[in-house]
Amino acid sequence: MSKVFLALQDVDEARPIVEAIRKDNPNAEFDHQPAMIRITADQELIIKRETVSNEIGADWDPQDIQLTLISFGGHVDEDDDYFRIFWQD
Amino acid sequence: MANRINMRDRYKHMTRLGWETSYQPMEKVFPYDRYEGIKVNDWNEWEDPFRMTMDSYWKYQGEKEKKLYAIMDAFSQSNGHLNISDARYVNALKLFLQGVSPLEYQAHRGFARQGRHFTGEGARVACQMQSLDELRHVQTQVHGMSQYNKFFDGFHEFPWWHDRVWYLSVPKSFFDDANSAGPFEFMVAIGFSFEYVLTNLLFVPFMSGAAYNGDMSTVTFGFSAQSDEARHMTLGLQAMQFMLEQHEDNVPIVQRWIDKWLWRGYKVLSLVSAMMDYMLPESPMSWKEAWEMYFEENGGALFNDLARYGITVPSYAEICAKEKDHLSHQVWGILYNHTAAAAMHTWVPDDAKMNWLSEKYPDTFDKYYRPRFEYWRDQEEAGNRYYSQTLPLVCQTCQIPMGFTEIEDPTLVAYRTTEYSGDKYHFCSDPCMKIFTDEPEKFCQAWMPPQQIFQGNCGGEGLPAVLEHYKFNLGADNMDYAGSPDETNWNKWKGLDGAGDGQVKAS
Amino acid sequence: MAVTAIGDYPARPRDGVENFHGNQMVIVGWDHHLMIDAPMAFPLPPGMPFGALVSEVMPVAFSAHPEWEQIDWSTVVWQLDGEAFIPDLEASLEDNGVGHKSLIRFVTPGLDGIGGSGS
């Protein structure tokens, strides 16, 4: 099984996203590096609009990930309600 | 409130803006995306997973720029250059501005061209956005580093240097090779191999390193660019998958391009290995660790995923796996040898750094490299800093001096030679030689810096004439860090003792 | 293989000997001495005696190495373009078979670089 990863800037705006990832991906691992957070998981990682919106207390558009995303490994699947990274094997 | 259309439909309506031409046949309007042999059955199967449309593109890019410039202004207003760990660090930025930022500009041009030439409008729109991103990157990088240019040497003529100075022909020739290839090869070269597989190794550890060394301006432009890279990576992977899914005949062509371009990129990144292990005074991660994380682990996952198309990991992955223990040390040795002709400083690592290198490279550093550095340090202390007086042989493909060794014997230079049309050509490795023999007509015309100097095309004979042609401020842009104006200024600004003796002492 | 191109793609080598103003490019590498980072290249007249290459040209590149002074030239093992080779020091480079972009390697038995490290 391959690992996907997601790297986010370690900034205020990314914190609710990181919290949402923690809630929706119980097996994800979080590695704090200088100025960034690197999140890994087996096979897939999902960020849900609803969870992030609840964290912020306002509506969050998955395309807003553009503002804090540094890098990722995997295929991207993005829709109105979620942003997902996955491997197919 | 009226219902908004969903993301999928919005993407479709706002990117599928092409039409079947009728005054001229489509193949004459888009003449360049067939000759490479890639077969496309249906361009409509192209889909951008980010589903980015122009309206949201401007919105997000505008927001990123505002944040970035706010930080750059704050950096400049607060004299942020004084907060870095040590002035030696700035040499990593010099190498970045001289070697990498001009590639962003070349990428801007390359993607603009593919944004014209692909028949499918989905691919064209994605390439056009990337082209704009790349222009933004070069602009923000130049802007971000302009603060350093006010206080440090080695920045002022970076575009001139990029086109002329020997070590910069490594990244320059890499991109010239990609820009003179067809649109599909360009996508594998830059979109896939460089953006998807290798930029993580360039930007992420390097920018994290910048943060570690107190350089918040660079961190910010780096990560701001990298958030675009995430989109570029997706485009690169999408382009690859598209080719592989359209026709099985495309698979061997794509495999050959992957093999070529991952190696070409790997050789360019060997400069980054030296940056990470030697130029960063505080290193958050060694080159070897970064290679393991971003190439072996992430790249490995990618190749597992691509296996279903019949794509395999390049056969030279084994060379890279063994070379990761040697690469940065050999490259730093090369730069140290030829610092008289480089627009940056080099130096012998201090004891703390050497101990860190021993720890990170337990099988190789003490055995093969520490003795060299300690000898150089002794010589330097005796007032006899070693500078090479001659020009090295450089590899015909990657254009790096031939300082890389045999995998089975790290004390022996790896020589590979072939003949083409009556002339000899030399290479640093089997993959570099294979790239040449696959396209000898292309690589026999490479602009090789030592040969160009010998032919009299770089200002004349002898080092002084060449350095004048390079527009170096002699003794300021080049030579060892010890005794440089950079060092003198830094010690003065920071109130440190010993301006000029090469050792920065904690105050 | 050949370049895949839109049209004709003639080979135009940039570094033919005719571009070197009467010189030829000669490459010399000292095995197991990587303090000198790479083999070094020199533009030399083909008529230069091999002995002059050894006594006048090579020191510019290699004499900074601490083992240079210790070389016993009677024991040096030479290689020219991948073949074992015994140079005639009196004869010219050309008559020794050294051509444009020829690679000369030499091994100095008993001298294995700084501290035996290959440096």
Side-chain angles (χ1 to χ4, degrees), chain B residues 182-287:
Chain B
F184 283 111
E185 183 178 349
F186 180 88
M187 291 308 284
V188 173
I190 306 305
F192 176 72
S193 298
F194 204 70
E195 300 277 355
Y196 195 95
V197 188
L198 299 171
T199 49
N200 272 323
L201 277 158
L202 173 62
F203 275 94
V204 182
F206 185 58
M207 295 310 158
S208 209
Y212 215 55
N213 286 280
D215 179 8
M216 291 324 289
S217 175
T218 300
V219 176
T220 311
F221 80 61
F223 282 163
S224 185
Q226 193 62 30
S227 65
D228 297 346
E229 303 296 348
R231 193 153 23 75
H232 303 169
M233 290 162 66
T234 320
L235 175 61
L237 186 54
Q238 168 60 18
M240 266 265 303
Q241 276 187 298
F242 178 74
M243 287 180 235
L244 295 170
E245 281 170 9
Q246 285 294 308
H247 202 289
E248 62 185 4
D249 290 354
N250 296 344
V251 175
I253 302 176
V254 170
Q255 178 79 57
R256 187 168 65 79
W257 286 338
I258 292 175
D259 292 353
K260 172 183 174 183
W261 285 99
L262 278 179
W263 184 260
R264 296 282 275 125
Y266 168 71
K267 296 305 288 191
V268 172
L269 287 189
S270 67
L271 289 169
V272 177
S273 75
M275 234 156 55
M276 284 181 67
D277 282 347
Y278 286 86
M279 286 184 169
L280 297 183
E282 306 287 339
S283 303
M285 183 186 263
S286 68
W287 163 258

Side-chain angles (χ1 to χ4, degrees), chain B residues 7 44 68 105 117 139 152 204 220 222 238 253 324 335 341-342 376 386 395 399 411 422 430 433 441 443 451 456 488:
Chain B
M7 189 189 275
N44 284 324
L68 174 59
Y105 185 69
H117 286 306
Q139 288 173 344
F152 296 92
V204 182
T220 311
Q238 168 60 18
I253 302 176
K324 70 189 176 191
L335 294 173
W376 280 339
Y386 163 67
C395 170
Q399 305 210 5
T411 70
D430 291 323
M433 186 161 87
E441 311 92 319
F443 289 94
Q451 280 90 318
T488 306

